[in-house]
Amino acid sequence: MPNNRTRKTPFRAPTGAPTRRPRGATPEPVPSVVEEVAAEPKVRAPRGAPTDSSKRGRHKELPGKPERLHKLLAQSGVGSRREMEELIAAGRVNVNGETAQTGQSASPGDRIKVNGKLVHLKFSNRLPRVIIYHKPEGEIVSRDDPDHRPTVFTSLPKMSGGRWVAVGRLDFNTSGLLLFTTSGDLANRLMHPRYNLVREYAVRILGELPDDAKQRLLDGIELDDGIAQFATFQEAGGEGANHWYRVSLFEGKNREVRRMFEAVGVVVSRLMRVRYGPFMLPPNLKRGQVLELGESDVKKLIADFDMENPAPDRPSHKSRER
């Protein structure tokens, strides 16, 4: 169970995207999905919450037309389009009892199995779901963990058919904003480097950071997997021996923020992600709680990423809270 005690974290919702970008990066406009979803959400803890299937009108499918199988599997949350193409080529996808072929299409009513397991397909006329989750420390972003640690997926709303796809990851001891969607295609676009989406963090360290170390972090630090640099670096106060900073960068390598501070001789004692692209962590979204985007915000997000819009005659839907 997540610990919902309030902690003092000196960060404020950012007023604009950082202007500094990594060397050699080709910036593209950050999608402008409505950010007021982070303003005043109504939330409640997801665990144990009853699910009323009669209120899920927007998730009922309308008649759809045939679509490419690998695309359908991706937007149904099974994996990326490339991964689905590889599964089809390997003969691990079955359509109506027969092995699927590369480039094959599927229609509503077809029975699709991946690795022998039946998959509930989401056609393009079905609007994907997108949620913001305030991840606490002590949860892993994985469904399979050999150490059997708590996983974020047990805190998410339950679904019959399909699954939640994580947009990036946060490590076990990092908290903050984590995005999930039912569309593998949308998740891949949110993570793709060409969209240059900013990641912003509140960082607490023990002791003070010398000015020259700060400049090194802005200029670029050589890590095992290449050069890493912060786009912005701001002091955010602190008490006693603890000092807080707010930093941003435009990529999401494994433990990148922690490794960058370690490279200049400083250990991070607490790390929280407060922004991912156009999404900000709502101030009153407590740890372990979920906020689901409303239909209009999801449609705008899809349009910003040049994805095909679902059928316009979908039932109206307001933001869901859990």
Side-chain angles (χ1 to χ4, degrees):
M1 294 289 292
N3 184 352
N4 285 338
R5 290 181 301 170
T6 302
R7 294 190 184 183
K8 292 179 63 178
T9 305
F11 76 88
R12 296 178 181 273
T15 57
T19 56
R20 183 186 180 100
R21 290 179 169 82
R23 281 179 256 176
T26 303
E28 296 196 15
V30 174
S32 57
V33 67
V34 184
E35 292 189 353
E36 51 262 31
V37 297
E40 297 182 356
K42 298 178 181 179
V43 296
R44 56 187 171 90
R47 289 195 178 96
T51 301
D52 184 356
S53 59
S54 66
K55 296 182 180 179
R56 293 182 177 268
R58 83 178 177 101
H59 304 300
K60 296 177 182 178
E61 293 188 26
L62 299 176
K65 58 184 180 180
E67 297 183 46
R68 288 294 182 91
L69 183 56
H70 71 283
K71 174 187 173 184
L72 281 170
L73 291 171
Q75 67 194 24
S76 301
V78 182
S80 69
R81 291 195 186 190
R82 178 175 296 179
E83 290 170 340
M84 296 305 97
E85 289 177 332
E86 292 174 353
L87 282 178
I88 293 171
R92 295 163 61 184
V93 180
N94 185 285
V95 180
N96 298 327
E98 298 183 359
T99 303
Q101 304 298 318
T102 302
Q104 182 172 342
S105 295
S107 302
D110 287 341
R111 288 178 59 82
I112 313 298
K113 291 186 177 181
V114 177
N115 293 326
K117 185 177 180 180
L118 189 65
V119 176
H120 182 63
L121 295 181
K122 297 178 177 65
F123 287 78
S124 293
N125 65 327
R126 182 182 171 108
L127 195 66
R129 299 172 67 183
V130 181
I131 58 176
I132 297 172
Y133 176 57
H134 188 163
K135 177 190 175 299
E137 297 95 339
E139 289 185 354
I140 189 171
V141 188
S142 174
R143 288 183 173 84
D144 301 309
D145 179 37
D147 297 326
H148 305 291
R149 291 172 292 181
T151 170
V152 296
F153 292 99
T154 61
S155 298
L156 305 185
K158 305 302 180 186
M159 288 190 296
S160 57
R163 66 173 185 170
W164 292 112
V165 180
V167 178
R169 293 174 179 267
L170 292 176
D171 66 40
F172 186 71
N173 293 319
T174 299
S175 64
L177 189 155
L178 192 58
L179 293 172
F180 293 87
T181 176
T182 55
S183 169
D185 195 9
L186 177 58
N188 286 323
R189 294 185 188 226
L190 284 165
M191 292 183 285
H192 200 285
R194 78 181 182 93
Y195 289 103
N196 209 25
L197 297 186
V198 66
R199 285 82 159 163
E200 193 160 358
Y201 296 84
V203 186
R204 186 183 71 186
I205 67 170
L206 182 63
E208 295 188 20
L209 187 69
D211 290 339
D212 62 332
K214 173 183 174 181
Q215 192 58 49
R216 288 178 60 198
L217 292 169
L218 286 168
D219 292 340
I221 294 288
E222 181 73 43
L223 301 178
D224 293 340
D225 49 359
I227 297 290
Q229 65 181 142
F230 289 132
T232 60
F233 197 111
Q234 301 174 4
E235 294 194 16
E239 298 177 353
N242 292 316
H243 287 78
W244 283 91
Y245 300 93
R246 200 172 78 184
V247 302
S248 68
L249 66 170
F250 288 88
E251 56 189 359
K253 296 178 182 178
N254 183 41
R255 299 186 69 255
E256 186 170 15
V257 174
R258 294 181 187 274
R259 289 189 293 140
M260 290 176 67
F261 275 95
E262 290 170 1
V264 295
V266 176
V267 176
V268 173
S269 59
R270 190 173 176 214
L271 183 62
M272 172 186 286
R273 184 158 68 191
V274 297
R275 180 174 184 162
Y276 189 102
F279 299 95
M280 295 179 290
L281 184 66
N284 59 337
L285 186 68
K286 296 180 180 179
R287 286 174 294 164
Q289 291 187 328
V290 169
L291 171 67
E292 182 164 0
L293 270 64
E295 179 178 321
S296 60
D297 293 323
V298 175
K299 285 185 176 180
K300 177 134 181 49
L301 184 65
I302 289 173
D304 286 336
F305 281 93
D306 300 320
M307 297 175 65
E308 184 179 351
N309 242 322
D313 55 345
R314 294 310 313 262
S316 61
H317 173 74
K318 296 181 180 180
S319 296
R320 297 182 61 87
E321 65 259 5
R322 292 193 176 275

